[in-house]
Amino acid sequence: ISTLLQMDITPLLIEWYSIKTEQAPLPLHQLAKISIDYLQIMKEAGVIKERQRKELEKIINNDIDIFWNNNDSTLLIHTIHSSLAKIGDHLYGTEDREFFTSFYYQLALTKNMDIGKELNEWLYGPWVNEIEEKVKLLPWE
């Protein structure tokens, strides 16, 4: 915590929060910069090692390239699933998983794709979508 307090991350957090609340997709170069900056913060905070930071940066950059150069939604969904599997959901805290979720949400927005269910499942587990479907069947009045 003392490391985080010494770092001036407030501008990055404000920028990232504004991303999460915007509806229009970010330009890919801006999404890449913010994501790489966040990975550096994770490293400096001791959440990840340098090797992990480099691996995650490679995944992010590769996915941005794939989204930049392709319009095949099947390929793009496969890319997201594959990358989230590589990232793993058990290695990070909630805020870091939310970061990855926001990144892929923004990436999908660039192609007008709705991947909310997939991201919720990765973030919260497979049961979250089952509960959501069952709640829709309840007689609300």
Side-chain angles (χ1 to χ4, degrees), residues 80-81 84 97 100-108 114-125 128-129:
I80 291 171
H81 282 282
L84 288 174
R97 287 190 321 241
F100 291 115
T101 303
S102 295
F103 169 78
Y104 283 103
Y105 176 77
Q106 283 291 319
L107 201 56
D114 180 10
I115 60 166
K117 286 187 176 190
E118 291 90 345
L119 294 175
N120 277 340
E121 186 172 314
W122 182 78
L123 186 60
Y124 302 113
V128 74
N129 289 326

Side-chain angles (χ1 to χ4, degrees), residues 79-97:
T79 298
I80 291 171
H81 282 282
S82 174
S83 295
L84 288 174
K86 289 176 192 172
I87 292 168
D89 62 351
H90 60 282
L91 302 176
Y92 310 102
T94 303
E95 294 83 10
D96 299 321
R97 287 190 321 241

Side-chain angles (χ1 to χ4, degrees), residues 5 19 34 38 48 50 59 61 68-69 102 107 116 132:
L5 292 174
I19 290 169
I34 291 169
Y38 190 86
I48 58 176
E50 177 63 16
I59 291 169
N61 286 331
W68 179 262
N69 294 308
S102 295
L107 201 56
E132 185 178 307

Side-chain angles (χ1 to χ4, degrees), residues 10 26 28 31 36-37 40 43 52-53 58 62-63 68 76 80 115 117-118 123 127 133 135-136:
T10 303
L26 281 175
L28 290 176
L31 183 59
I36 301 310
D37 288 348
Q40 184 64 30
K43 181 187 147 280
Q52 292 169 300
R53 187 198 63 77
K58 183 178 178 182
N62 183 59
D63 291 349
W68 179 262
L76 300 176
I80 291 171
I115 60 166
K117 286 187 176 190
E118 291 90 345
L123 186 60
W127 53 268
E133 291 302 316
V135 167
K136 287 180 185 176

